[in-house]
Amino acid sequence: MRKRRRNKKKGATGFGLLALLTICLCGVVLYASANLKKERDDKLAVKEQLERQIAEMQTESLKLDAKKDYVGTKKFVEEMARKVLGLVYPNEIVFEEKGEGGD
């Protein structure tokens, strides 16, 4: 009879340890999965931000390409010569506006 009680106690103790180990393992897995989910969400937010930046840079690149094409034209050179240097063609007549407080 005594041997049977000991065997039952050993079996119950083994089962209890197994159950405790299983619960601990489940806790570790749940904790790790929560960390992975948070990390995934953070990386998705960074990815979305980078995709927005890429779209903005592509738009900026298109604008710069258009400006580069315009800068190479004769019209642009004439505009800059007029605005910056004040140059005119020899046969042109220039009319200037007087200021509000002018003579």
Side-chain angles (χ1 to χ4, degrees):
M1 247 175 156
R2 286 185 175 176
K3 285 186 178 183
R4 282 185 160 177
R5 287 185 187 172
R6 279 188 191 169
N7 286 342
K8 286 184 180 181
K9 282 186 177 180
K10 284 182 181 179
T13 305
F15 180 75
L17 288 175
L18 183 62
L20 181 63
L21 181 63
T22 304
I23 290 170
C24 289
L25 184 61
C26 288
V28 168
V29 169
L30 288 174
Y31 179 76
S33 68
N35 282 342
L36 288 174
K37 184 177 186 284
K38 182 183 180 299
E39 187 176 326
R40 183 196 69 195
D41 292 344
D42 292 344
K43 290 186 188 250
L44 285 174
V46 169
K47 179 185 174 189
E48 289 172 4
Q49 180 183 6
L50 291 174
E51 287 174 347
R52 282 193 301 271
Q53 286 179 352
I54 288 171
E56 290 172 5
M57 292 297 143
Q58 287 174 339
T59 302
E60 185 69 24
S61 177
L62 291 174
K63 287 179 183 177
L64 288 174
D65 286 342
K67 188 171 184 175
K68 182 182 103 179
D69 293 341
Y70 175 66
V71 167
T73 63
K74 185 177 177 181
K75 183 178 178 181
F76 174 78
V77 173
E78 286 179 1
E79 285 179 10
M80 289 298 110
R82 289 177 191 275
K83 287 181 183 177
V84 176
L85 302 173
L87 299 177
V88 293
Y89 285 107
N91 59 353
E92 269 186 322
I93 301 173
V94 179
F95 297 96
E96 293 183 11
E97 295 182 29
K98 288 188 177 181
E100 290 181 21
D103 302 72

